[in-house]
Amino acid sequence: MTVLLESRVLSLVKPEVIQEVTKEREVKEGWVAIEPTYASICHADLRYFAGLRRPEALAKKLPMALLHEGIGVVKASGSPDFAKGDRVVVVPNIPGTILHPEIEQKAEVPPNYSKGNAFLGSGYDGLAQSVLVHPAECLVRIPDEIPAEIAVLSELSSVSHHAISHVKDKLVKEDTRVALFGDGPVGYFTSVMLRYLYGVKADRFMVFGAAEDKLANFDFARTANVLSYDFENEPEKFDVVIECTGGRFSESAINQAIMIADSLADIIFMGVTEDLVPINTRDILEKGITVHGSSRSSTVDFAAVVEGMRNAEYRAALKKILPQQITEISNGEDFSRMMEKFVENPGWNKTVMHFNWQA
């Protein structure tokens, strides 16, 4: 039986303008209605809210509800796998196999690279609404021992998990040396996962960054400042190098990664930039380097992350990136004020909000 529910949607209608609108949501077979409870902000949300995307992209994507990092509580279910009251992590990537079954897909392609997929908060209403109707196969139940403020960090952690999966067979070898570029949140989430879920200890793990105060948070690895490190002459080489910088630092980080990569190394690109980036292809060829592009994640990554969050040391490390205070959101004005503050000062810690839809 189809269930219809009303959703209060905090919709970004144009840069810096949030309007609260009501939309009717249909809960079909295989789909689940969720009330979002906690969410965190991604830099992609910032780019939409501040109008930093190209005008043609904004025209195509807006209006829409922002946010793709979050959790919620099941309100109604069209699936036997979930019941009212279940706490769930929301997987924001909806595979094309669900939305467009008529499109032929390659069986070996992961869901996050499928044709015809949709992504919450990217031209498709995200978590900034009181009722999100989502496919059951894009939800992961949260164990009781994992607090909400840790579970809300699952999305970015899952992106790290998917990236690391490209080299997981290498990481189990105790002589594999790993380097990572990026002292921001993406670099931190990926580093924490390497240390506590993959067992990569400091003697074979180096994190490169540009800000000493940020690098101080990576106390489980060796650290080096890119502004003073001698990339041309330092003898240490690495078997796996992960780039988590993006933006205007992509060019330098990628080429420095190539410089310190050993023969037959793997380099993973995770940073996003709007610009074309020139890279040293000669050394890629001469060293036999394998380059992996990695974007987003799928349900299998979320399930692995949520299971990993049972690890107390991993939870403790994740807790360091939480804000001192969680922001309460009851309406569009609250949401707009929070986004404006984030644009002014994104900070190193994640911005986390709690929704109070009944206020």
Side-chain angles (χ1 to χ4, degrees):
M1 184 179 72
T2 299
V3 177
L4 296 176
L5 298 170
E6 281 194 349
S7 180
R8 290 172 54 200
V9 182
L10 310 182
S11 184
L12 180 69
V13 294
K14 62 181 182 179
E16 300 184 347
V17 178
I18 299 290
Q19 283 186 2
E20 189 167 330
V21 298
T22 300
K23 295 186 180 181
E24 195 171 70
R25 304 300 193 194
E26 180 183 2
V27 186
K28 298 177 289 188
E29 183 179 353
W31 292 63
V32 178
I34 303 129
E35 180 180 293
T37 52
Y38 288 82
S40 60
I41 301 176
C42 171
H43 277 264
D45 299 310
L46 179 153
R47 289 192 289 272
Y48 282 119
F49 184 82
L52 300 179
R53 293 293 306 274
R54 289 188 292 269
E56 58 269 26
L58 292 171
K60 183 179 178 181
K61 304 276 190 178
L62 303 185
M64 69 175 178
L66 295 173
L67 306 179
H68 60 268
E69 303 177 5
I71 65 174
V73 175
V74 173
K75 304 300 288 183
S77 179
S79 166
D81 297 328
F82 296 95
K84 186 175 181 179
D86 285 347
R87 291 192 311 151
V88 294
V89 173
V90 177
V91 180
N93 192 76
I94 307 176
T97 50
I98 295 174
L99 296 175
H100 299 284
E102 73 281 3
I103 298 178
E104 186 175 348
Q105 308 278 357
K106 291 182 178 179
E108 68 274 15
V109 175
N112 44 315
Y113 302 115
S114 68
K115 298 174 183 176
N117 62 358
F119 197 81
L120 298 188
S122 180
Y124 191 102
D125 279 340
L127 288 154
Q129 57 179 315
S130 63
V131 176
L132 170 74
V133 176
H134 209 59
E137 65 182 80
C138 297
L139 299 171
V140 175
R141 188 176 287 103
I142 303 170
D144 291 340
E145 67 263 37
I146 300 175
E149 63 270 20
I150 295 296
V152 77
L153 303 176
S154 297
E155 197 278 334
L156 196 44
S157 300
S158 75
V159 174
S160 299
H161 184 272
H162 178 69
I164 293 170
S165 70
H166 295 296
V167 293
K168 62 182 180 181
D169 292 338
K170 265 193 171 182
L171 293 176
V172 299
K173 300 175 183 178
E174 300 227 343
D175 60 347
T176 295
R177 308 188 74 77
V178 182
L180 182 143
F181 285 80
D183 50 23
V186 177
Y188 187 75
F189 278 102
T190 307
S191 297
V192 164
M193 181 168 289
L194 285 165
R195 174 62 189 92
Y196 294 106
L197 297 191
Y198 285 87
V200 181
K201 296 181 180 179
D203 61 337
R204 60 188 183 106
F205 184 22
M206 179 87 82
V207 174
F208 292 92
E212 293 293 342
D213 58 332
K214 294 179 182 179
L215 284 171
N217 293 299
F218 296 77
D219 54 6
F220 46 82
R222 290 178 295 139
T223 59
N225 195 308
V226 295
L227 302 177
S228 57
Y229 191 83
D230 188 352
F231 287 96
E232 291 189 6
N233 297 310
E234 283 287 346
E236 186 172 11
K237 300 298 179 186
F238 298 88
D239 307 292
V240 173
V241 188
I242 305 176
E243 179 272 321
C244 301
T245 55
R248 59 194 174 95
F249 299 112
S250 288
E251 180 181 345
S252 59
I254 290 171
N255 286 294
Q256 288 163 349
I258 293 169
M259 291 173 71
I260 63 172
D262 208 347
S263 299
L264 301 184
D266 289 80
I267 300 180
I268 302 170
F269 295 167
M270 293 183 67
V272 177
T273 177
E274 297 285 330
D275 302 313
L276 297 179
V277 177
I279 62 174
N280 180 0
T281 56
R282 177 177 290 279
D283 279 1
I284 290 177
L285 302 179
E286 288 187 355
K287 294 183 179 183
I289 293 170
T290 299
V291 175
H292 306 267
S294 189
S295 177
R296 297 176 175 171
S297 57
S298 58
T299 304
V300 293
D301 300 297
F302 277 80
V305 165
V306 170
E307 182 61 29
M309 285 175 171
R310 294 179 186 269
N311 179 322
E313 284 187 309
Y314 182 48
R315 290 201 306 270
L318 288 174
K319 192 173 182 180
K320 286 173 61 175
I321 204 165
L322 288 171
Q324 290 186 341
Q325 186 172 2
I326 291 175
T327 304
E328 292 290 328
I329 303 295
S330 299
N331 51 49
E333 290 182 2
D334 292 343
F335 186 67
S336 187
R337 277 195 298 269
M338 179 195 62
M339 290 300 302
E340 288 168 359
K341 288 182 180 178
F342 184 74
V343 170
E344 290 172 8
N345 181 24
W348 185 80
N349 297 85
K350 292 291 288 180
T351 296
V352 178
M353 70 203 80
H354 172 252
F355 289 111
N356 183 8
W357 297 111
Q358 282 69 47

